[in-house]
Amino acid sequence: MRKVFALMTMSLATASVLAKLPPPTPEAAAAAAATKDKAAWSDKVAAFKLCQAQDRVAKNYLKTKAGAPKPTVEVPPCADPGPYVPAMAAAPAQAAAPAKK
């Protein structure tokens, strides 16, 4: 009896693993793309804030340390990603602009 129960449990688990999900609706696909776009922007903002914090720490170190070495490499400034602009709002604006030759 235990073998039959185990066999039925395994067959049900296998069937649920092999089941396919239906393709997402256009609305769901657009929502997923918007979420991915917002996450990418959030990553850029986090990198910008990290860059600013590293710059503050380095400037403070160079200012307070008496024997600190002078920087020999010019570091580019931190790139501000700006405010969030949804990709869907930016795409029609680019399509409406006439192409320059």
Side-chain angles (χ1 to χ4, degrees), residues 8-88:
M8 289 188 68
T9 305
M10 293 297 283
S11 66
L12 289 174
T14 304
S16 66
V17 167
L18 296 177
K20 288 183 111 182
L21 294 174
T25 63
E27 294 84 19
T35 302
K36 185 177 177 183
D37 186 45
K38 180 93 177 200
W41 177 79
S42 296
D43 290 344
K44 289 178 186 176
V45 170
F48 174 65
K49 289 182 179 181
L50 175 63
C51 179
Q52 287 180 324
Q54 289 172 337
D55 285 350
R56 281 193 308 268
V57 169
K59 286 178 185 174
N60 187 32
Y61 173 76
L62 293 173
K63 185 175 71 172
T64 58
K65 274 296 201 191
K70 298 292 180 195
T72 58
V73 177
E74 185 64 31
V75 179
C78 301
D80 186 3
Y84 175 68
V85 177
M88 293 304 205

